[in-house]
């Protein structure tokens, strides 16, 4: 029986493919959760005009910031469950003991989170931007800043979710850990659209976001793995 | 000791392991070796540290002192060679409720870096008695049937080292027999098995060395 | 010298107990001297008037908030790499003092900002990053206490501390990198733009803050050691004695 199978071997690509394909399949079994995230995003962003009043100039002025805050909260929503399921059913132990490079599956988990929560927000953001009366070029910059910023949120948030795994006060603790780390992303993300709206080229903000994303892509998966190893210890 | 020249070289060596959990000292200076074809059974009352020892051998739990060696080399944090030869079955089944038995087996093997054909996978599930439940979400499987998904994984996994935590739990008589057959095949092909268990674990036509933890 | 001898909680408990009073004494003397220099001897600032004297609290507190975080992260790295027990306890003992200094730096800054900028708080890079530092301290304390097993709390919090180190250069260089309302540093490696007495007073106050931080950390780590090792024989003997 044992002779049938080839020897086990790990690979970086195998690790990413495993994480992403499994998490996407799990998400497809419950598409309503992704839809809820998107609905939450739209709802939070729509609350502000209702509270502040429908004055077009004011809304166009604060729109970028509001959309970013709403996106940040929506991305945070799915974080507590990012590793909780794998931790509870024992899959996490198998991941840590897998012959695949741990960097790969950790990156894959963050990527999966982004595909399920971040990407829909990027796609939806121009629609919400129209609600706030943003001009077309600002809508584009907005979507671009979200496309660069939300993967960063998934990575940083993933590290915090891994740290708070199995801790008391789960969700609240996670908020205290993750939201301060989200602050720079928020500043540069909303700064890009705001710069565009006031006639300053947004490239500086966008390149800072891109630099942060590249740095996080190579560094944060290690932190996620270290935190998960502490969790299964 | 009566046939020193007949001793095969030890594949798994654990040398003077010590581990404390909080204020409790679970084991101290524990040494354990196992050669190819050998099964070691960790026995002891609840809370004696069987599971912890097993997790230390796998490299999951940090040791306070001591060293675990596989094929003569100490295992380290990023030791892919060791992990390629390790199949670990914890007391949690690592089965996702939302996936079917077949998908669960597929992802479990992919995570182990093992490539098998669809036919081999189905055959293994049939062998463990899940042939008619391939497409059922795992939430509809009983605890014993989930364990059987794990057995199918062991059957297809070429790992030389099995570390098993209570492998007989929740299995009925037929399931236990299935496991013993798998174990016998694993040992006869030169594999090593260390299992924490409350029941004696003698495979068909063999015997398991027992290590007692106090 | 055998460092591992003092890395044992039992021996460090005694050492910390013997050293703490001296550090408290030093802290008190230096604070008295520094306040005397700063409040009475140092001249009035030509531009800002008497208000500037808050600098003798504000700047040492801000320095300490960053130094202590860095030291805490170093202990965190020790915990993660060598799995030493004392380093985790030291990091826990430092965190509340670091949070306090961060809080003081923010508050004294607000009192200074009102007369000079016309606002208690402005959202510039220096203030925002210092506020993030305060939340990092809070996160550290919350995470360290969120687990049943204190060793696991040590390790998780240590990792958070190490990750958060990224924030320190941002705080320090924020006044250079961004055009902020917050004034640039008055003291640098190339010299100072200040009057000699002002500078001396500030250094004395910083030394006082150091001594206080060390003293309080030693006292706090003693109670953490006692709590953690309460089942050990030496603790029972120490408590009885």
């Amino acid at each position: 029986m044992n002779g049938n199978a080839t020897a086990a071997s790990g690979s970086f690509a195998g690790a990413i493919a495993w994480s992403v394909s499994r998490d996407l399949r799990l998400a497809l079994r419950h598409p309503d959760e992704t839809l809820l995230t998107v609905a939450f995003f739209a709802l939070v962003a729509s609350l502000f005009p209702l509270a502040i009043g429908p004055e077009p100039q004011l809304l166009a002025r604060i729109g970028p910031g509001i959309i970013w805050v709403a996106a940040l909260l929506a991305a945070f929503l799915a974080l507590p469950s990012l590793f909780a399921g794998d931790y509870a059913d024992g899959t996490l132990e198998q991941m840590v003991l897998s012959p695949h490079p741990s960097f790969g599956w950790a990156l894959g988990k963050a990527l999966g989170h982004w595909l399920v929560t971040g990407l829909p927000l990027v796609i939806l953001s121009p629609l919400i931007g129209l609600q706030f009366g943003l001009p077309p070029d600002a809508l584009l910059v907005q979507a671009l800043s979200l496309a660069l910023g939300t993967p960063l949120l998934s990575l940083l948030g993933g590290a915090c979710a891994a740290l708070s795994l199995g801790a008391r006060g789960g969700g609240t603790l996670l908020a205290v850990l993750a939201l301060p780390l989200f602050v720079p992303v928020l500043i540069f993300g909303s700064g890009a659209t705001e710069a565009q709206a006031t006639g300053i080229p947004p490239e500086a903000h966008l390149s800072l976001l891109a630099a942060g994303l590249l740095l996080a892509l190579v560094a944060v998966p290690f932190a996620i793995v270290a935190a998960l190893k502490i969790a299964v210890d | 000791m009566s046939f020193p020249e007949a001793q095969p070289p030890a594949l798994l060596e654990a040398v003077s392991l010590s581990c404390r959990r909080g204020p409790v000292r679970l084991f101290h200076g524990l040494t354990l070796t196992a050669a190819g074809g050998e099964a070691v059974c960790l026995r002891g009352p609840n809370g004696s540290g069987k599971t912890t020892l097993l997790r230390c051998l796998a490299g999951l739990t940090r040791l306070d002192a001591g060293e675990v060696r596989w094929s003569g080399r100490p295992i380290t944090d990023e030791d892919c060679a060791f992990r390629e030869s390790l199949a670990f079955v914890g007391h949690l089944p690592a089965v996702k409720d939302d996936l079917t038995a077949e998908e669960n087996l597929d992802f479990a093997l992919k995570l182990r870096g093992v490539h098998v054909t669809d036919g081999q996978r189905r055959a293994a599930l049939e062998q463990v008695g899940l042939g008619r439940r391939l497409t059922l979400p795992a939430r509809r499987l009983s605890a014993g049937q989930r364990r059987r998904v794990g057995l199918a994984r062991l059957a297809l996994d070429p790992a030389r080292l099995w570390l098993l935590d209570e492998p007989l739990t929740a299995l009925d008589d037929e399931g236990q027999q299935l496991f013993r057959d798998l174990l016998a095949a694993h040992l006869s092909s030169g594999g090593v098995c260390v299992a924490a268990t409350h029941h004696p674990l003698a495979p068909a036509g063999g015997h398991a060395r027992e290590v007692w933890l106090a | 010298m055998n460092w591992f001898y003092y890395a044992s909680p039992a021996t460090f408990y005694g050492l910390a107990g013997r050293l703490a009073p001296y550090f408290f004494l030093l802290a008190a003397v230096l604070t008295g001297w520094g306040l005397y220099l700063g409040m009475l001897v140092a001249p009035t600032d030509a531009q800002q008037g008497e208000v500037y004297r808050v600098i003798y609290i504000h700047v040492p507190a801000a320095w300490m908030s960053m130094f202590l975080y860095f030291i805490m992260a170093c202990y965190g790295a020790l915990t993660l790499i060598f799995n030493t027990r004392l380093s985790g306890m030291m990091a826990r003992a430092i965190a509340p003092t670091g949070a306090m200094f961060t809080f003081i730096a923010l508050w004294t800054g607000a009192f200074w900002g009102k007369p000079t900028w016309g606002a208690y708080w402005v959202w510039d890079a220096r203030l925002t990053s210092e506020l993030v530092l305060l939340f990092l301290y809070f996160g550290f304390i919350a995470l360290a206490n969120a687990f049943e097993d204190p060793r696991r709390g040590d390790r998780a919090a240590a990792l958070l501390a190490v990750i958060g180190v990224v924030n320190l250069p941002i705080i320090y260089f924020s006044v250079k990198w961004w055009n902020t309302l917050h004034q640039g540093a008055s003291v640098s490696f190339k010299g100072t733009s200040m009057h000699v007495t002002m500078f001396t007073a500030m250094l004395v106050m910083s030394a006082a803050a150091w001594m206080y931080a060390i003293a309080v950390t030693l006292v706090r780590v003693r109670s953490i050691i006692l709590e953690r090792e309460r089942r050990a024989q030496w603790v029972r003997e120490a408590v009885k004695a």
Side-chain angles (χ1 to χ4, degrees):
Chain A
M1 190 84 222
N2 290 345
N4 298 350
T6 50
S9 66
S11 72
F12 183 71
I16 292 194
W18 180 84
S19 286
V20 174
S21 63
R22 197 205 53 160
D23 281 8
L24 284 187
R25 188 167 309 180
L26 284 172
L28 283 177
R29 293 285 142 91
H30 294 282
D32 41 323
E33 279 171 24
T34 304
L35 290 176
L36 275 177
T37 308
V38 173
F40 178 83
F41 172 57
L43 201 64
V44 170
S46 311
L47 284 178
F48 284 86
L50 298 177
I52 294 166
E55 197 200 321
Q57 257 123 26
L58 180 66
L59 288 184
R61 168 84 190 73
I62 60 173
I66 289 171
I67 292 171
W68 252 99
V69 170
L72 188 148
L73 292 176
F76 177 80
L77 216 56
L79 277 183
S81 59
L82 181 55
F83 293 107
D86 291 336
Y87 180 62
D89 67 20
T91 312
L92 202 55
E93 293 167 358
Q94 300 295 335
M95 284 154 73
V96 170
L97 292 177
S98 144
H100 293 303
S102 47
F103 183 92
W105 53 254
L107 185 62
K109 283 294 283 188
L111 187 60
H113 178 261
W114 180 72
L115 288 173
V116 174
T117 61
L119 188 61
L121 303 183
V122 176
I123 296 168
L124 190 70
S125 72
L127 260 175
I128 307 287
L130 281 178
Q131 272 193 330
F132 287 87
L134 296 182
D137 49 347
L139 290 178
L140 189 71
V141 172
Q142 172 90 44
L144 205 57
S145 73
L146 280 171
L148 288 170
T150 44
L152 205 48
L153 297 182
S154 293
L155 282 162
L156 293 172
C160 293
L163 272 176
S164 63
L165 211 49
R168 282 186 292 255
T172 323
L173 178 67
L174 183 53
V176 172
L177 298 183
L179 295 182
L181 294 182
F182 287 178
V183 165
V185 187
L186 178 72
I187 290 173
F188 295 120
S190 54
T193 327
E194 206 159 310
Q196 175 72 25
T198 48
I200 308 165
E203 278 83 6
H205 288 98
L206 291 178
S207 25
L208 269 170
L209 270 184
L213 177 58
L214 286 178
L215 209 66
L217 277 175
V218 292
V220 176
F222 288 113
I224 293 179
V225 172
L228 291 177
K229 279 188 179 159
I230 294 171
V232 294
D233 189 335
Chain B
M1 291 309 284
S2 44
F3 306 107
E5 68 278 8
Q7 288 262 326
L11 270 175
L12 179 74
E13 297 164 275
V15 187
S16 47
L17 306 184
S18 301
C19 188
R20 340 167 29 113
R21 267 285 178 255
V24 185
R25 192 167 82 183
L26 289 173
F27 43 84
H28 185 74
L30 186 142
T31 293
L32 184 158
T33 58
E38 213 176 354
V40 178
C41 200
L42 305 177
R43 305 287 302 274
N46 294 118
S48 57
K50 298 188 296 289
T51 297
T52 309
L53 175 57
L54 208 61
R55 295 171 69 88
C56 286
L57 291 177
L60 275 176
T61 296
R62 294 172 70 100
L63 289 160
D64 288 318
E67 188 177 69
V68 179
R69 287 195 287 263
W70 173 251
S71 310
R73 281 204 325 207
I75 64 167
T76 56
D77 245 17
E78 284 292 320
D79 189 349
C80 290
F82 168 68
R83 295 203 206 135
E84 275 168 13
S85 23
L86 166 68
F88 176 86
V89 178
H91 68 102
L92 295 165
V95 166
K96 289 267 171 226
D97 280 348
D98 290 328
L99 301 177
T100 66
E102 201 182 354
E103 286 170 321
N104 267 305
L105 180 58
D106 183 27
F107 281 118
L109 288 172
K110 276 186 183 150
L111 184 58
R112 286 274 305 124
V114 177
H115 302 281
V116 296
T117 62
D118 286 4
Q120 282 174 313
R121 212 164 47 225
R122 294 227 175 96
L125 283 169
E126 244 155 62
Q127 189 198 355
V128 298
L130 293 173
R132 289 163 62 197
R133 291 180 174 73
L134 292 178
T135 53
L136 215 58
R139 72 172 75 256
R140 309 257 288 274
L141 297 180
S142 72
Q145 285 172 324
R146 281 159 196 250
R147 278 273 161 195
R148 283 168 184 246
V149 176
L151 289 185
R153 188 199 122 194
L154 278 180
L156 291 174
D157 198 324
R160 283 196 81 186
L161 174 61
W162 285 5
L163 295 178
L164 315 173
D165 196 356
E166 300 289 354
L168 298 176
T169 307
L171 287 175
D172 55 16
D173 288 345
E174 190 210 339
Q176 298 197 359
Q177 191 50 47
L178 247 161
F179 169 74
R180 290 203 168 90
D181 293 345
L182 280 175
L183 180 60
H186 175 65
L187 296 177
S188 67
S189 68
V192 180
C193 175
V194 181
T197 172
H198 286 295
H199 314 282
L201 190 71
H207 82 287
R209 194 148 52 85
E210 299 203 333
V211 171
W212 283 85
L213 295 170
Chain C
M1 181 168 176
N2 182 5
W3 290 97
F4 286 101
Y5 176 71
Y6 285 108
S8 140
T11 36
F12 192 77
Y13 178 81
L15 182 73
R18 283 197 301 281
L19 289 178
Y22 297 105
F23 283 107
F24 269 121
L25 194 68
L26 271 172
V29 171
L30 286 170
T31 309
W33 184 29
L35 283 179
Y36 167 74
L37 279 181
M39 299 299 152
L40 301 174
V41 180
T44 309
D45 187 80
Q47 290 163 8
Q48 300 189 1
E50 299 293 346
V51 180
Y52 94 95
R53 289 186 198 276
V54 76
I55 202 175
Y56 300 115
I57 310 281
H58 176 73
V59 172
W63 280 348
M64 289 311 288
S65 70
M66 289 189 277
F67 277 135
L68 286 179
Y69 191 89
F70 182 70
I71 295 170
M72 192 174 87
C74 289
Y75 276 119
L78 280 181
T79 308
L80 291 176
I81 299 168
F82 299 109
N83 204 19
T84 44
R85 279 183 297 158
L86 187 60
S87 54
M89 302 187 205
M90 282 300 284
R92 272 175 199 254
I94 291 172
T97 312
M100 184 205 74
F101 274 120
T102 315
F103 190 70
I104 290 177
L106 286 168
W107 260 107
T108 53
F111 285 135
W112 194 5
K114 184 65 182 168
T116 44
W117 301 334
Y120 285 111
W121 185 265
V122 289
W123 286 101
D124 84 342
R126 175 56 75 79
L127 274 72
T128 309
S129 50
E130 185 77 10
L131 187 65
V132 168
L133 184 70
L134 183 64
F135 284 122
L136 279 175
Y137 275 119
F138 287 161
F140 179 94
I141 295 168
L143 191 61
N145 293 312
F147 295 96
E148 218 55 66
D149 176 7
R151 295 287 294 280
R152 189 171 157 204
D154 282 350
R155 295 176 59 75
L159 190 60
L160 178 72
V162 172
I163 296 172
V165 165
V166 181
N167 190 34
L168 292 185
I170 297 181
I171 301 176
Y172 188 76
F173 291 111
S174 54
V175 285
K176 276 190 198 158
W177 291 346
W178 289 281
N179 233 341
T180 58
L181 199 51
H182 195 284
Q183 67 191 67
S186 311
V187 183
S188 74
F189 292 113
K190 286 184 193 131
T192 166
S193 59
M194 300 165 77
H195 189 277
V196 180
T197 326
M198 291 183 183
F199 184 58
T200 318
M202 201 141 90
L203 282 192
V204 172
M205 285 304 286
S206 304
W210 266 111
M211 294 307 123
Y212 170 77
I214 294 173
V216 176
T217 303
L218 288 178
V219 171
R220 204 175 281 127
V221 84
R222 269 167 67 89
S223 66
I224 294 175
I225 291 174
L226 273 192
E227 202 185 329
R228 196 74 71 82
E229 307 263 300
R230 59 184 174 276
R231 312 216 176 159
Q233 189 60 37
W234 72 266
V235 171
R236 288 182 195 165
E237 282 161 16
V239 170
K240 249 182 240 154

